[in-house]
Amino acid sequence: MDRDRLKLAFLGHVDHGKSTLIGRLLYDTGSVPPDRMEQVRQASVEQGHDTELAYLVDHLREEREHSMTIDTAQLFFRAADRDVVVIDAPGHREFLKNMLTGASQAHAAVLLVDAAQGLAEQTQRHAFLLTLLGIRHCLVVINKMDLVGFAEARFLELCEEVGAFAAAIGLEPVAFVPISALHGDNVVNPSSRLPWYDGLTVLEAIDGIEAVQDTQRPFRFCVQDVYAFDGRRIAAGRVEAGTLDVGDPVLVLPDGATTTVLSIERFHSERGLAEAGESIGVTLPADRAVRRGQVLCDPAAAPAVASTLRVRLFWMGDEPLALGSRHRLRLATQDAACRVAAIRRRINSSTLDVLARDADRLATTEVGEVELELDQPVVAELPERCQALGRVVLETHDAVAGAGVLMEPPGMEESER
Amino acid sequence: MDDLDRLESQSVHVIREAYVRFRRLGVLWSVGKDSTTLLWLCRKAFLGHVPLPVIHIDTGYKFLEMYSFRDRLAREWGLNLVVASNEAARAAGVGPGKGSKLACCTALKTDALKVALRDLGLDAILLGIRRDEHGIRAKERYFSPRDSGFKWDYQNQPAELWDQYASRADEGRHLRIHPLLHMTELDVWRYVRREGLPINPLYFARNGKRYRSLGCVTCCQPVESVAANVDEIIEELRTSNVSERSGRAQDKEDAYTMQKLRALGYM
């Protein structure tokens, strides 16, 4: 009974119909209990509408009153072959923080485009942010086909336009699907109003998305904390890549010493080998100091330790990111103070225009290629090698204001070997 | 690792982050299946221990079976149990059936929680709420700030990505931390079965009915069911057409009671 669980984010410009599409998927697959449907019906009547499927997702009163998603929500439904966690994301420019929060948890994405309006500002920005988030699988859905008379020509025109933009940012859509979420055409049930289309429905396309496989990677374990509840010092954390067995040699970074894993600690579990994704405890020889922020790794394939990072950063702060400003950087369980040493390129994340080189600031919603100088060395590597060690957030006043990925392998520092 | 292992590991990661960021941390226990699972996940995180005060908000209207179950488990698991209650409100006659559900829940639950947090000096608490329980809870963050008035600023939540969570509570504010957010009702029951967790018998069918969701006796209706053990509950859920909280009166008062309650600091 081990069904695959796919986390799917729904992205796109405001009012292109994301919430309605999700509502339609839930409804047409029979995933909504009648009592919940009744609540939606009543709430819709109160707002003066026919039954709004979007209300299955837009639950806040303010969202219904303004017909607008404010924050991300997650819902669950059972497709034919797997369970799907649907992550709805707001399409309004003002709520990019919330869109990023939702989308960052997804394995794959559905990018929605209004057939009448075409590619819009947030459509492009969301697509670009997908590449930042490292989400490769993307399904493009052309919605509101009813507004363009279900015309094949318009569909093909948009496929080409979206396809070209996707190619420019390195995104590879797995399919393009024409639908009307409002009327239910081609979402779960094929439509007689699209006779020229012989491809998949949205539901079929979702079922066809391949689950991401964890490939064999060098071992990485990020220490979250050290416990001594029963007298022994146990390093608690999560295996971020690879596997670990008792007796394995490990390199402790950023310190640089090699040691051996004495035991793998768990509560109420008979498991032996620890694998990527597992939260465990680890004990090392008593003379080995352990603390939060350290990374235990495969000595034969270690990540870098660096005090300068070059990051592709999406800025969400209320104030612009200023050259020379200081922030808190968080990378896995590491915490370091940093200074913005350079903003090599400043990019509009919707049009992809390079606004400036060697800029003095980055405004909100822009993406920058930024050099950060850290007060202390951190363990880092490209996200393709280890996601957890390749992604950073930047905080201003204790709030996350920027999210970024490492652009190039961080420089090797002198460290004890 | 299977899907339950992954869900469990994610919860453990959240709990450990909470503990390292907020040493003045407590855990809320309603003695229901979700918060009991949460306590078990704490034992997973801390290798058998629950090094936190465990707070039970007692409205005085809970099922009798809950109390005996609570005390037994607290003994067996060595819990530091703190029972909190809004005595003043109860003495003043606040209760179900007198005024709105909104007012009663706020007084007997939310306000009791406020006092408990203050008396224990906590700046963060773990709760067992899940996204699939309610459309409003679907909007939650793992680490969700509350201001000094307990208000949830749902229109301005912090960005939360890549397992990086809010790290501080300013003076007077506290953090609500939700390690079970990503688990569904079915996930919880499957996990209960796998781990052999003790479960309040009220969840099992008696005379053709059982409780799917447990709150106060007065505001909780059982649903039609013959599922008399965990296996049967799981089978029933796979084919069920009724939502988990359909028997909860609080959700019926008006469409936005849960939103209003939560904005005032409810769970």
Side-chain angles (χ1 to χ4, degrees):
Chain A
M1 207 263 111
D2 194 357
R3 274 161 61 97
D4 193 13
R5 184 169 302 213
L6 178 75
K7 293 196 210 167
L8 193 60
F10 282 66
L11 309 176
H13 197 83
V14 58
D15 286 343
H16 282 206
K18 295 177 291 305
S19 303
T20 306
L21 173 56
I22 294 169
R24 174 60 68 183
L25 269 169
L26 295 176
Y27 184 71
D28 282 359
T29 54
S31 304
V32 188
D35 57 296
R36 196 167 268 187
M37 207 53 227
E38 189 46 43
Q39 286 169 0
V40 163
R41 252 189 277 274
Q42 279 177 15
S44 304
V45 164
E46 251 172 60
Q47 296 288 350
H49 301 306
D50 292 334
T51 300
E52 273 288 357
L53 288 177
Y55 283 9
L56 286 168
V57 182
D58 292 336
H59 223 274
L60 295 171
R61 165 170 260 160
E62 291 79 353
E63 291 178 326
R64 291 173 175 178
E65 277 166 7
H66 301 126
S67 298
M68 178 174 74
T69 307
I70 293 170
D71 207 339
T72 179
Q74 295 196 13
L75 296 96
F76 308 81
F77 80 96
R78 296 167 69 80
D81 290 334
R82 49 155 52 119
D83 293 330
V84 181
V85 180
V86 162
I87 302 170
D88 188 27
H92 201 287
R93 192 176 188 280
E94 239 177 83
F95 304 123
L96 281 166
K97 262 191 322 176
N98 298 338
M99 170 266 172
L100 220 58
T101 297
S104 67
Q105 300 175 52
H107 299 132
V110 171
L111 187 67
L112 208 63
V113 181
D114 178 326
Q117 288 209 350
L119 261 188
E121 186 190 333
Q122 297 325 314
T123 321
Q124 298 187 173
R125 178 166 288 118
H126 286 190
F128 186 51
L129 288 175
L130 281 180
T131 65
L132 194 86
L133 292 171
I135 293 171
R136 300 261 160 268
H137 301 286
C138 172
L139 186 62
V140 176
V141 176
I142 311 292
N143 190 23
K144 308 199 191 185
M145 288 297 296
D146 50 310
L147 297 183
V148 298
F150 294 98
E152 184 181 14
R154 179 59 178 152
F155 173 68
L156 292 176
E157 182 182 24
L158 279 171
C159 289
E160 202 172 300
E161 210 183 313
V162 176
F165 186 80
I169 59 177
L171 196 64
E172 290 170 23
V174 297
F176 292 79
V177 186
I179 67 165
S180 164
L182 191 64
H183 301 290
D185 297 83
N186 213 30
V187 176
V188 170
N189 303 308
S191 169
S192 56
R193 302 197 278 187
L194 294 162
W196 43 265
Y197 177 74
D198 60 2
L200 305 170
T201 60
V202 172
L203 185 64
E204 286 166 346
I206 288 172
D207 258 322
I209 295 173
E210 277 162 29
V212 177
Q213 296 298 336
D214 263 323
T215 51
Q216 278 293 71
R217 301 246 175 86
F219 169 70
R220 307 280 185 260
F221 173 82
C222 294
V223 180
Q224 282 180 277
D225 204 346
V226 181
Y227 302 145
F229 297 120
D230 58 6
R232 300 177 303 144
R233 288 173 64 77
I234 300 176
R238 185 165 61 191
V239 179
E240 297 292 350
T243 60
L244 181 72
D245 216 342
V246 174
D248 281 355
V250 291
L251 176 64
V252 181
L253 292 180
D255 312 46
T258 308
T259 185
T260 312
V261 168
L262 291 185
S263 71
I264 294 174
E265 304 287 328
R266 297 181 179 90
F267 171 68
H268 203 260
S269 169
E270 296 304 315
R271 298 174 68 92
L273 190 78
E275 51 182 87
E278 209 187 334
S279 291
I280 54 171
V282 166
T283 62
L284 303 177
D287 58 336
R288 223 350 87 208
V290 187
R291 61 174 193 281
R292 176 179 173 86
Q294 282 177 331
V295 182
L296 306 188
C297 9
D298 178 348
V305 175
S307 302
T308 307
L309 298 178
R310 190 146 170 178
V311 172
R312 181 170 293 114
L313 185 77
F314 177 71
W315 190 244
M316 310 174 250
D318 297 326
E319 304 295 318
L321 179 73
L323 184 64
S325 60
R326 298 183 61 80
H327 304 269
R328 198 96 219 128
L329 176 124
R330 292 167 64 172
L331 198 171
T333 55
Q334 303 171 96
D335 236 291
C338 71
R339 191 180 68 86
V340 179
I343 301 174
R344 295 267 172 245
R345 293 210 296 168
R346 189 181 154 186
I347 300 165
N348 176 317
S349 60
S350 179
T351 63
L352 308 183
D353 290 339
V354 176
L355 302 168
R357 291 181 198 275
D358 293 320
D360 63 356
R361 89 187 91 94
L362 198 63
T364 192
T365 79
E366 290 175 0
V367 168
E369 291 171 8
V370 175
E371 269 166 35
L372 301 169
E373 268 169 24
L374 278 54
D375 282 9
Q376 67 202 62
V378 294
V379 184
E381 63 185 336
L382 291 180
E384 298 85 79
R385 289 251 295 175
C386 177
Q387 274 188 350
L389 293 178
R391 300 165 149 173
V392 305
V393 299
L394 238 58
E395 287 182 347
T396 310
H397 308 310
D398 294 319
V400 170
V405 291
L406 253 60
M407 282 178 59
E408 55 196 39
M412 295 292 282
E413 302 258 311
E414 290 308 304
S415 54
E416 285 174 41
R417 296 229 170 242
Chain B
M1 288 178 78
D2 66 12
D3 66 321
L4 287 180
D5 290 326
R6 283 183 215 288
L7 296 173
E8 177 189 69
S9 270
Q10 177 66 17
S11 297
V12 165
H13 191 269
V14 171
I15 292 167
R16 287 173 169 173
E17 282 299 293
Y19 186 68
V20 77
R21 293 285 187 188
F22 299 96
R23 288 296 189 194
R24 296 183 308 170
L25 178 70
V27 51
L28 217 59
W29 186 30
S30 69
V31 200
K33 70 175 188 314
D34 300 304
S35 53
T36 301
T37 298
L38 176 59
L39 287 184
W40 185 255
L41 288 165
C42 287
R43 298 188 80 191
K44 290 273 180 171
F46 307 118
L47 303 172
H49 304 265
V50 184
L52 316 167
V54 178
I55 305 165
H56 178 217
I57 305 289
D58 186 4
T59 59
Y61 292 95
K62 299 290 182 179
F63 293 86
L64 280 178
E65 291 94 325
M66 244 193 218
Y67 295 107
S68 50
F69 183 79
R70 175 194 76 188
D71 294 338
R72 175 171 72 83
L73 211 55
R75 255 192 332 267
E76 281 175 20
W77 290 5
L79 304 177
N80 172 10
L81 179 67
V82 174
V83 180
S85 175
N86 189 346
E87 293 300 337
R90 287 170 59 185
V94 174
K98 305 178 179 79
S100 69
K101 303 272 180 281
L102 180 65
C104 185
C105 281
T106 300
L108 298 190
K109 290 190 184 175
T110 310
D111 290 346
L113 177 60
K114 274 186 197 169
V115 171
L117 290 197
R118 192 194 63 211
D119 290 350
L120 292 168
L122 301 179
D123 54 12
I125 36 166
L126 302 176
L127 289 85
I129 64 164
R130 304 174 343 246
R131 285 196 179 101
D132 72 325
E133 285 179 299
H134 198 284
I136 300 293
R137 290 178 173 167
K139 301 264 174 193
E140 267 292 7
R141 299 280 188 270
Y142 280 111
F143 281 52
S144 185
R146 294 290 183 276
D147 70 12
S148 52
F150 257 49
K151 294 223 173 349
W152 178 36
D153 190 1
Y154 52 80
Q155 300 207 60
N156 188 24
Q157 301 202 79
E160 189 174 77
L161 61 166
W162 297 336
D163 299 318
Q164 298 294 353
Y165 308 120
S167 53
R168 266 171 27 108
D170 294 333
E171 200 50 51
R173 294 185 354 147
H174 73 275
L175 267 292
R176 297 283 175 94
I177 298 170
H178 308 124
L180 264 61
L181 222 47
H182 50 274
M183 296 180 80
T184 65
E185 185 187 9
L186 187 56
D187 290 335
V188 172
W189 281 112
R190 288 172 54 223
Y191 188 72
V192 161
R193 175 171 65 181
R194 187 181 89 165
E195 300 291 312
L197 298 188
I199 283 300
N200 192 325
L202 286 166
Y203 283 108
F204 303 135
R206 276 188 292 209
N207 304 319
K209 288 191 191 287
R210 72 178 193 89
Y211 288 91
R212 233 171 113 177
S213 177
L214 289 174
C216 299
V217 182
T218 47
C219 299
C220 230
Q221 291 308 314
V223 297
E224 308 258 307
S225 168
V226 294
N229 57 48
V230 179
D231 282 321
E232 290 174 16
I233 288 176
I234 289 172
E235 262 325 291
E236 182 184 89
L237 285 179
R238 286 202 211 289
T239 54
S240 173
N241 210 13
V242 178
S243 58
E244 186 180 7
R245 292 180 62 94
S246 61
R248 302 294 292 265
Q250 171 193 85
D251 293 7
K252 294 179 174 35
E253 187 162 74
D254 93 37
Y256 303 104
T257 299
M258 181 58 98
Q259 177 176 343
K260 290 175 197 164
L261 275 169
R262 298 201 84 243
L264 293 173
Y266 188 70
M267 295 72 176

